[in-house]
Amino acid sequence: MNSAMPRYRFKNVLDITIEDLHKMGAKAIALDIDNTICNDGKENCIEGLEEWLAKVQDAGFKIMIISNAIGKRPRRVAEKLGLAHLSFARKPKAHKLVQGAKLMGVETNEMAMVGDQIFADIMAANSCGAIPVLVDALQGETRFPIFYANRRRKEKPIIEEFEKSHGYGVYDE
């Protein structure tokens, strides 16, 4: 298996339904912050996120943030959303994903890692057996435009390969 290949892809976190999570075999969700639930470097999350979180948690799923971000911002975002968090995750290393699964009381293969970066979120999920879920990056300003442009260029052939067999959403494997 290609360690950079997502298993599922969605346009946005809000497009992931409770039924999708059940089909994936997920019992918990690890969310990335930058370009996944908030624009890069920002603390304001996408509109509708709090309602989505409440609905998913009400359905029995555990949710936390696992981010490469450092400093106080990840804590402030997590607190505002009422979620636990692990920051400075150093994805694609998987140690914080394993730690997050333990904190949520699930096996790593029962946790969906939802993020926008193949070479961070998806590779970390694949390396520890978590469910790799790619979302399209939020559009907006970024603090590191050259970095992200290079990353997206390198991700393009992987996404094109994924799209040969799968579209958006959850599919029968």
Side-chain angles (χ1 to χ4, degrees), residues 140-159:
E141 274 186 47
T142 176
R143 297 171 296 163
F144 310 107
I146 294 170
F147 170 81
Y148 284 114
N150 286 334
R151 271 281 167 101
R152 302 303 177 207
R153 183 178 42 77
K154 291 176 182 174
E155 291 174 343
K156 188 175 181 183
I158 297 165
I159 291 171

Side-chain angles (χ1 to χ4, degrees), residues 21-41:
L21 292 166
H22 285 299
K23 286 181 183 177
M24 290 177 201
K27 292 182 180 175
I29 305 164
L31 291 173
D32 178 50
I33 295 177
D34 289 320
N35 299 316
T36 300
I37 62 170
C38 299
N39 283 101
D40 184 40

